[in-house]
Each structure stands twice: as structure tokens, then as C-alpha cells.
Amino acid sequence: MAIGLLVCDDSMMARKQLIRALPPEWPVSISQACHGEEGLQMIRQGLASVVLLDLTMPVMDGFEVLAALRSEGLTPKVIVVSGDVQEEAIRRVTELGALAFIKKPAEPEELRQTLERLGLLNPADSAVASPEPVPSRPAFELKINFRDALREISNVAMGRAAALLAKVLGVFVELPVPAVNIFEVSELHMTLADAQRGERCSALCQGFIGDGIAGEALLLFHDSEISDIAKLFNWQPGNDVETAEMLLDLASILIGACLSGISEQIDVRFSQGHPQLLGLHSSIDSLIHVNQRRWRKTLAVEISYSLEGHNVHFDLLLLFTEDSIQRLSHKINYLLN
């Protein structure tokens, strides 16, 4: 008899990769959900006795799904498959009842070993033909769009960056769902202005290039939060030079780890410039005016990090040049096929 399996993830690319990684002989009937609330409804309807659950999702995230399952007395066997690899995230999902944690993208052998360890897959099934036919797997005839794929790649990369930041600062980093858009400079201006909510800010950038893909990473800090960042670093900057040094250190951690996560997934080695200060205590208007020629039309990945328990939020934008889009699309298509 087929096991009811729910794959709950907001990314079609992630669901496709995960279903492809399932042991081919595992007799499962697969349902899919694109956010936690939809997945929870399917579990309530009895469609899933096993759940492969993402953490970073809109509407209801994976942490909230696990908490709801516990409060409602629902007992599917949950394996978390996530790009959020912070030690605290793994501890929290285990405490909430998840049976295992697998980092994205899931490797078929690791997934198989996890299923066998949990008694969900009989190792003998691979050696002996199943007496019942294995239900057919979903056919992914629909094309996964470029933005969804890049968003998922960025999601995995930002999770690795957050894990490093969490370890360095001793904090828990709350991760958003990344946004992917193609902006003219005027639209980028509006996006940045909205992100900064009218506050003065400090901004840093770091260029990168590799295999026909180039761009800049832009990191924005609200000035009102710099003192909180300094406390986390156990730093007491006495002047703007020392403040800039602290922010450059933080930019190196976040941007370097995020670009490394992307390059690993799409098999591109990026050469990275040194982080540079664009402006301290500046308005978005002045930053855009100074830099509008270099940004022009750009593919932007927006990630807004928050630190739990601290008044610290900062916005990371990966700005790819317009000329990079075709090459980036080619690399992503190769990854999917």
C-alpha cells in the first residue's frame, strides 16, 4: 500500500529536486503544497503520513507548521529539508517534533539513509521487487520559471550565510523568502527607499564576476541600528572610520558566504572585489544619484535579514548586470536538467 507523502515547499524547483531524489522503489503517493497553511490542510485531510517540510515559506513557515501539528495532536512523520542550516534552527525543529533534518539541496543517498534509519523505507525493497506497483511520480512538464529557480538558489545561499553569521555573533537569524525582480534604476530607487523607510543608512558594495556573470552585492544598514550591531560585535566604534571598519567586516561575512553558496550550486567560481563603502549616514536619494550609472537595469535578488531579539535588520541585494541574465539562465537550466 502506498504511503501518503507530502512535499511542502514554496519553490517548484525545490519540490522537483526533492521528488527526483526519492528512492525510485519507495511506494509513495505524493501530494505537494506551496506553503505551510496549504500543507497543514492536507495533513488534516489525512493525505500525508510522511512530510518533507521546508522552513522558509510565505503564509506559514515550517516552524509554525510543526507547532500547529503539535497543538492539534497530528502525528505525521516530519523530515525537515531546508536551506536554513543554523544550529539553532535544527535544535528548534527537533524540539518541535521533526524526526530528522536534511540540508538543501537534498542528496539522494542522504535522503535514502534517513528514510531507512527512521524505518520508513525497508532496505530490502531495493533488492527485492515490490509485490505492488510503485505509484507513478509527478511529471514535471511545466517549466520552472527563471525567477523561481534563482529564488531557490538564493534561499539556499542565504541560509548558509545566516548560519555563519549566527555562529560569529551568537544570534538566531530570521530568514525571509528572497524576492527576485528585474529593475530599472528608478524602480530600484523606490525599492531601496521603501526598504529603508525614510531612515538614513550606511551602504557597502562588493563586486563579483565569473564565467560571464557579473554584478554587485549591496548591503544596507539602518543608522538607528548600528549601535546594536556594535554591541553584538563587542565593539565600541569611536568614530566613522571605526564604524566603517565594523560594517566592512560584517559585509565580508554575509556577502562572501552568500556568493559562495550561489557559486557552489551553479558551478561558477566568482572572483570577488574587496567590500567598499558607498556612504555612511546617507540618504537613499544620494546613494542612487551617485551610483545610478553603474546599476542601470539590473536583476535584483533582495534578502532582508533580521536578528531575533535585537533591533537589527539589514537588506542585502545581489545586483546582476543585464548582460549576465542569459548566462545565469543557461547555468540554472543546466542545473535543472
Side-chain angles (χ1 to χ4, degrees):
M1 184 176 178
I3 298 167
L5 173 67
L6 172 64
V7 179
C8 186
D9 195 301
D10 61 306
S11 166
M12 183 185 291
M13 173 179 169
R15 298 197 302 272
K16 176 178 180 177
Q17 287 179 326
L18 195 48
I19 291 171
R20 279 183 171 179
L22 295 173
E25 75 278 9
W26 194 29
V28 288
S29 175
I30 300 172
S31 301
Q32 299 181 56
C34 60
H35 56 72
E37 187 174 281
E38 183 181 17
L40 189 58
Q41 289 290 349
M42 292 181 176
I43 295 168
R44 288 170 178 153
Q45 294 166 16
L47 297 177
S49 58
V50 179
V51 181
L52 300 178
L53 180 68
D54 185 27
L55 293 181
T56 307
M57 295 182 289
V59 186
M60 176 183 278
D61 65 28
F63 296 105
E64 293 170 322
V65 171
L66 286 165
L69 293 176
R70 171 172 286 187
S71 67
E72 295 181 28
L74 299 169
T75 57
K77 294 177 172 61
V78 179
I79 298 170
V80 169
V81 184
S82 177
D84 186 351
V85 293
Q86 297 177 80
E87 291 179 0
E88 177 63 11
I90 298 171
R91 188 197 68 78
R92 290 185 184 187
V93 298
T94 302
E95 189 176 80
L96 285 167
L99 300 179
F101 182 99
I102 297 174
K103 73 174 183 179
K104 285 183 171 180
E107 293 292 335
E109 188 54 34
E110 183 182 8
L111 181 54
R112 174 185 291 277
Q113 290 176 0
T114 301
L115 294 171
E116 290 179 355
R117 177 172 58 82
L118 297 175
L120 298 173
L121 176 67
N122 185 348
D125 290 344
S126 59
V128 180
S130 174
E132 296 184 20
V134 176
S136 59
R137 301 287 163 83
F140 287 94
E141 300 301 332
L142 291 175
K143 288 187 176 180
I144 295 171
N145 68 60
F146 172 75
R147 291 186 185 185
D148 178 80
L150 182 56
R151 184 165 56 87
E152 178 60 16
I153 289 169
S154 303
N155 175 51
V156 172
M158 79 176 185
R160 296 180 188 180
L164 181 57
L165 185 64
K167 187 169 290 187
V168 170
L169 298 182
V171 296
F172 181 70
V173 182
E174 298 174 337
L175 297 179
V177 177
V180 176
N181 294 288
I182 296 177
F183 289 124
E184 299 285 352
V185 68
S186 60
E187 296 171 306
L188 179 62
H189 182 174
M190 289 187 290
T191 297
L192 295 178
D194 181 63
Q196 296 307 303
R197 300 185 293 276
E199 298 181 27
R200 299 187 76 78
C201 66
S202 298
L204 306 97
C205 73
Q206 183 171 6
F208 57 89
I209 187 169
D211 197 7
I213 300 170
E216 287 185 309
L218 176 65
L219 192 58
L220 301 172
F221 302 92
H222 302 144
D223 275 9
S224 61
E225 298 166 359
I226 286 180
S227 61
D228 294 274
I229 296 172
K231 290 176 185 175
L232 288 169
F233 269 96
N234 293 317
W235 198 319
Q236 293 182 334
N239 53 48
D240 282 352
V241 173
E242 292 180 352
T243 296
E245 185 178 346
M246 176 187 71
L247 297 182
L248 286 166
D249 285 346
L250 184 52
S252 293
I253 294 170
L254 267 179
I255 296 172
C258 202
L259 288 175
S260 176
I262 291 175
S263 67
E264 183 181 322
Q265 293 176 83
I266 64 174
D267 193 26
V268 170
R269 178 172 292 181
F270 288 125
S271 296
Q272 299 175 36
H274 294 291
Q276 296 180 343
L277 189 67
L278 289 180
L280 273 179
H281 320 306
S282 305
S283 68
I284 284 295
D285 288 338
S286 63
L287 282 174
I288 289 290
H289 179 72
V290 170
N291 295 283
Q292 60 183 346
R293 286 186 178 179
R294 56 202 286 200
W295 289 334
R296 283 177 267 174
K297 189 171 185 178
T298 182
L299 169 66
V301 179
E302 306 167 64
I303 303 169
S304 298
Y305 291 94
S306 298
L307 305 186
E308 184 181 74
H310 300 274
N311 180 36
V312 177
H313 314 267
F314 36 86
D315 301 291
L316 173 63
L317 288 94
L318 302 177
L319 306 174
F320 295 90
T321 64
E322 186 177 6
D323 295 339
S324 300
I325 295 175
Q326 184 175 356
R327 183 60 180 159
L328 190 55
S329 179
H330 173 76
K331 297 294 289 188
I332 288 174
N333 285 334
Y334 181 80
L335 176 67
L336 291 173
N337 300 313

